[in-house]
Amino acid sequence: MSKTLVEKIWDAHVVKREEGFPDIIYIDTHLIHEVTSPQAFDGLRKRGIPVFRPKQTVATADHNVPTLNQHLPIKEELSRYQVDMLTKNCAEFGIELYGLGHPYQGIVHVIGPELGITLPGKTMVCGDSHTSTHGAFGAIAFGIGTSQVEQVFATQCLLQSKPKTMKIEVNGTLQKGVGAKDIILYIISKISAAGGTGYFIEYAGSAIRSLSMEARMTICNMSIEMGARGGLIAPDQITFDYVEGREFAPKGEEWDQALAYWKTLYSDEDAIFDKVLTFDAADIAPMITYGTNPGMGMGIAEHIPATNAQPESERPSYQKALDYMGFKDDSVVLGNRVDYVFIGSCTNSRIEDLREVASFVQGKQKAQDVEVWIVPGSKQVEKQAKEEGLDKIFEAAGFQLREPGCSACLGMNEDKIPAGKYCVSTSNRNFEGRQGPNARTMLVSPLTAAAAAVTGKVTDVRELI
Amino acid sequence: MKKFETLTSQVVPLPIENIDTDQIIPARFLKATTREGFGDNLFRDWRFDTDNQPKTDFVLNNPTYSGKILVAGKNFGCGSSREHAAWAIQDYGFDVVISSFFADIFKGNALNNGVLPIQVPEEFLGKIFELVTQNPKTEIIVDLEKQTVMLTETGDQFEFEINPYKKSCLINGYDDIDFILNQKDSIELFEANRQW
């Protein structure tokens, strides 16, 4: 029987399927971090049980860490306690931890792929909704709540109903200055912040195929922003080349066996998806969000859609979003003041993102009144950036290169955007207060962020390259 | 887990769409390492101003409205997977959330904590908002066994869907881990038979 890629991987992981119950599916790899795990460890203690397969669990500290002076103790008491708790829990339950100071530390969705932990055909979960990132390798990867973290600790399995499947094809060639982030912001703007709910999305088409692994991760990362549980891309030679030789990737004979299996991981030609959408890459402009959910996005030169153009029941929420952002109906954001530029997060903090920004800003200066933070996704990304001399370029441009972590993506750690300030951000969420109470976020690509940093206002990067 | 059977309660209306879990509980309040106490910061930045004073125009600060049922606009609970959102809602005192659409992860987290998410059609949701505006004392009866939600004032009723397994978990007060721990033999067999 023909199957989609999701069905192939899902069915290979069903431990038990029973009428009237969700499937019991086996989880190959469990990633954990300091924020969503402590209550799950507590649950194990209360039940008096161990982590069932500690070797299939990997931990890092990322959400609640400072991105300056990581060699010093964390200043904020609650944050320090939470990070220390992760260290204690990992020691007690026998879990490998890449904590602060470790050369592999970083954002959980950056380190999994770069260490070769993320592999095609795997099932992977993490108590973080951006776990969908790992789908770029042709894995089923999705975010879970803390009760489910405990469930995976206890059994290496999850009770899950099989999701519906959606195929999103993007065909053709991208315009100059348009990248993976623009593709995904464009898709979300078309299908809304809820349009993918209940589905696992497979991204396909020539424009997706031509992307690098890191660009594919950016796409899959934001699947959750349209409500989809996960998104994935069938593995191909680009995937295999990226994985080969990485620290924990299979080697020798195991590699050959793995590769033979991975080459069977694609949706059969006549496989049936519950929904199929097709987009033309040439239609996509550099994107920007103007509201308070990632579905409120548009081409950077466009006008903000009018409140009256929204369905009547949605107008109050829509107007509330524009008021929060300080934007008016039918106005443009092009030229709007920018106070902060944040380049980082599990969406856009990899070496290719940093290279793209560096190559744009080389020989340029940031605008005087803008603060620019570059936060690498991991210690390894930071190290490589320095080896390539990118740090010098950033320094010369007046950009601040910080240490790895989730940083200003989520307004949890020390890195917050002040109230009322506009932040052009390469992160994934523009919710009210996401980057700090009353902060105003506009989501963009790294290139558009770099352009804003240089001009001090929202800028169409196509005019500068 | 707390058992759920039936509930008769007034409702708290929040007719806003796409309420994300960052609004339900902002990230800066996720530093606690236990499950308790999150209710104090439920809807923190909508409920309190920057000087920590209650915002009088927010529904949770309006004494006219109270009850164990929160009614919200579509796509409730989108965004971050933080289970703290479900804990905050429960800790504040809500046992039921009614919306015309729920984000997947929030829905699962709520069910795993004995909070019942009830999805109703857009028109039914509109009717609740309308009635509650007219009469804040309007009561709703939720019967999980029968899978019904009823407006006492008008008798309007809707039969909601819920996975039969999750329903039995709520009625009996047991959770997924209790269930799955009994399947260890199947799990070990799966591991033993596994090829790459």
Side-chain angles (χ1 to χ4, degrees):
Chain A
M1 200 185 83
S2 302
K3 284 183 178 181
T4 64
L5 174 57
V6 168
E7 289 166 327
K8 282 184 184 176
I9 303 172
W10 189 276
D11 291 349
H13 288 83
V14 173
V15 170
K16 201 170 178 183
R17 178 170 287 166
E18 215 175 315
E19 189 60 34
F21 291 88
D23 288 347
I24 299 178
I25 61 158
Y26 193 79
I27 302 302
D28 295 317
T29 300
H30 187 193
L31 304 168
I32 64 167
H33 61 84
E34 72 277 24
V35 180
T36 56
S37 65
Q39 294 88 349
F41 281 115
D42 263 354
L44 295 182
R45 283 191 201 98
K46 280 184 194 137
R47 290 173 203 263
I49 54 176
V51 172
F52 182 55
R53 296 290 180 246
K55 299 282 175 251
Q56 287 166 242
T57 312
V58 176
T60 192
D62 55 2
H63 283 63
N64 201 1
V65 301
T67 59
L68 290 175
N69 296 317
Q70 287 185 348
H71 60 288
L72 299 175
I74 298 174
K75 277 186 277 181
E76 215 264 328
E77 193 184 342
L78 283 175
S79 301
R80 188 174 65 244
Y81 184 77
Q82 193 175 55
V83 172
D84 287 349
M85 184 69 88
L86 179 70
T87 309
K88 281 185 198 141
N89 283 330
C90 287
E92 181 182 339
F93 288 92
I95 292 167
E96 185 81 54
L97 167 67
Y98 303 133
L100 278 187
H102 194 286
Y104 293 166
Q105 181 267 339
I107 303 176
V108 65
H109 310 308
V110 174
I111 69 169
E114 76 184 4
L115 290 170
I117 293 168
T118 304
L119 298 173
K122 269 190 172 183
T123 47
M124 301 178 69
V125 294
C126 174
D128 187 286
S129 60
H130 293 112
T131 308
S132 57
T133 311
H134 308 269
F137 292 77
I140 286 188
F142 55 91
I144 56 177
T146 297
S147 294
Q148 292 172 306
V149 170
E150 186 183 342
Q151 203 179 128
V152 179
F153 278 159
T155 64
Q156 204 58 38
C157 287
L158 270 182
L159 275 169
Q160 281 286 301
S161 299
K162 196 170 172 174
K164 292 183 285 182
T165 55
M166 185 192 300
K167 178 160 80 167
I168 295 183
E169 271 194 44
V170 186
N171 293 305
T173 310
L174 291 170
Q175 296 176 37
K176 190 178 67 163
V178 175
K181 182 64 165 288
D182 301 303
I183 297 178
I184 192 64
L185 284 173
Y186 177 82
I187 294 172
I188 302 167
S189 77
K190 292 293 173 199
I191 77 169
S192 90
T197 307
Y199 293 94
F200 238 86
I201 296 173
E202 180 175 343
Y203 301 97
S206 60
I208 301 290
R209 277 284 140 237
S210 65
L211 296 175
S212 71
M213 282 317 295
E214 296 194 357
R216 292 178 189 187
M217 286 185 235
T218 299
I219 302 260
C220 290
N221 171 275
M222 288 191 72
S223 303
I224 182 70
E225 306 314 336
M226 44 190 153
R229 206 54 194 283
L232 81 182
I233 296 170
D236 57 15
Q237 197 56 45
I238 292 174
T239 320
F240 309 143
D241 290 345
Y242 179 95
V243 172
E244 192 170 12
R246 289 186 184 264
E247 174 93 35
F248 298 109
K251 308 269 170 2
E253 202 176 312
E254 274 191 10
W255 170 262
D256 297 335
Q257 282 172 12
L259 193 61
Y261 172 57
W262 295 345
K263 287 183 173 170
T264 69
L265 296 176
Y266 50 85
S267 288
D268 295 323
E269 224 161 88
D270 48 354
I272 295 165
F273 290 84
D274 296 299
K275 194 169 184 178
V276 178
L277 298 174
T278 306
F279 297 103
D280 186 346
D283 292 341
I284 306 174
M287 295 289 293
I288 191 160
T289 61
Y290 54 84
T292 56
N293 72 62
M296 298 176 81
M298 63 181 184
I300 197 156
E302 289 173 31
H303 286 244
I304 294 173
T307 304
N308 282 342
Q310 312 305 316
E312 200 172 339
S313 68
E314 296 176 17
R315 285 176 203 167
S317 299
Y318 187 85
Q319 190 59 53
K320 182 176 187 291
L322 293 193
D323 290 347
Y324 181 86
M325 291 300 294
F327 291 150
K328 294 201 165 44
D329 259 19
D330 210 28
S331 62
V332 290
V333 294
L334 212 55
N336 195 84
R337 176 187 106 224
V338 174
D339 305 301
Y340 284 77
V341 171
F342 171 59
I343 296 168
S345 87
C346 56
T347 314
N348 283 120
S349 64
R350 299 179 177 81
I351 193 66
E352 287 179 10
D353 299 317
L354 270 51
R355 281 185 195 138
E356 189 177 37
V357 171
S359 95
F360 176 82
V361 302
Q362 187 152 30
K364 299 187 180 80
Q365 278 285 320
K366 77 167 182 73
Q368 201 175 359
D369 296 332
V370 184
E371 187 148 347
V372 187
W373 294 345
I374 302 211
V375 184
S378 70
K379 290 307 280 183
Q380 296 207 82
V381 170
E382 181 188 31
K383 182 166 170 267
Q384 189 163 353
K386 287 180 176 170
E387 280 168 9
E388 295 180 14
L390 307 186
D391 56 332
K392 300 283 182 298
I393 296 172
F394 296 141
E395 198 186 329
F399 292 16
Q400 187 181 36
L401 180 64
R402 298 166 77 102
E403 292 170 285
C406 297
S407 187
C409 173
L410 86 163
M412 170 164 201
N413 50 69
E414 293 170 5
D415 304 349
K416 294 186 185 75
I417 306 302
K421 299 293 182 191
Y422 284 102
C423 180
V424 161
S425 177
T426 68
S427 56
N428 40 56
R429 290 189 171 135
N430 51 347
F431 299 149
E432 280 185 35
R434 172 75 180 184
Q435 296 193 288
N438 294 313
R440 293 155 160 175
T441 304
M442 291 181 265
L443 302 176
V444 296
S445 72
L447 205 50
T448 296
V454 166
T455 61
K457 52 194 182 190
V458 174
T459 300
D460 189 338
V461 72
R462 288 171 297 190
E463 290 165 9
L464 298 182
I465 52 176
Chain B
M1 198 172 75
K2 201 170 88 174
K3 290 185 186 185
F4 189 103
E5 285 165 350
T6 60
L7 174 69
T8 303
S9 171
Q10 289 178 31
V11 307
V12 176
L14 197 49
I16 299 170
E17 277 141 20
N18 299 307
I19 295 177
D20 58 80
T21 54
D22 273 85
Q23 305 317 311
I24 300 172
I25 181 94
R28 62 188 191 280
F29 300 109
L30 306 186
K31 295 178 184 181
T33 52
T34 62
R35 291 177 181 236
E36 293 78 35
F38 289 103
D40 292 346
N41 293 312
L42 176 69
F43 295 115
R44 178 77 203 191
D45 294 335
W46 287 353
R47 222 168 119 196
F48 299 99
D49 64 20
T50 42
D51 298 324
N52 296 321
Q53 295 305 307
K55 294 184 182 176
T56 50
D57 59 348
F58 186 61
V59 69
L60 292 192
N61 296 322
N62 183 345
T64 312
Y65 298 101
S66 65
K68 292 175 170 298
I69 301 175
L70 178 67
V71 186
K74 75 174 175 197
N75 200 25
F76 185 82
C78 59
S80 157
S81 61
R82 60 189 68 167
E83 193 161 315
H84 313 65
W87 299 337
I89 284 171
Q90 185 170 50
D91 191 50
Y92 184 85
F94 292 115
D95 291 332
V96 170
V97 184
I98 297 175
S99 176
S100 54
F101 196 79
F102 288 94
D104 271 344
I105 305 181
F106 174 80
K107 192 171 168 183
N109 288 341
L111 287 166
N112 284 338
N113 286 279
V115 173
L116 177 63
I118 299 178
Q119 186 168 326
V120 299
E122 200 68 57
E123 306 76 59
F124 195 86
L125 188 74
K127 200 170 280 175
I128 300 176
F129 285 139
E130 201 183 307
L131 271 179
V132 177
T133 311
Q134 289 162 5
N135 174 16
K137 302 291 171 210
T138 298
E139 282 193 328
I140 284 182
I141 302 176
V142 175
D143 187 326
L144 178 55
E145 182 57 50
K146 292 185 188 146
Q147 296 179 216
T148 55
V149 51
M150 193 181 81
L151 289 156
T152 50
E153 206 167 305
T154 59
D156 281 302
Q157 181 172 304
F158 176 73
E159 218 168 290
F160 62 87
E161 284 181 26
I162 182 170
N163 177 289
Y165 161 76
K166 287 315 258 186
K167 178 178 171 180
S168 72
C169 283
L170 283 175
I171 289 175
N172 297 301
Y174 59 67
D175 64 23
D176 286 358
I177 303 179
D178 299 329
F179 176 83
I180 210 168
L181 278 171
N182 287 322
Q183 312 284 331
K184 273 281 173 70
D185 290 350
S186 306
I187 298 168
E188 281 172 354
L189 188 68
F190 175 87
E191 287 180 323
N193 290 336
R194 190 130 195 250
Q195 317 243 318
W196 171 258

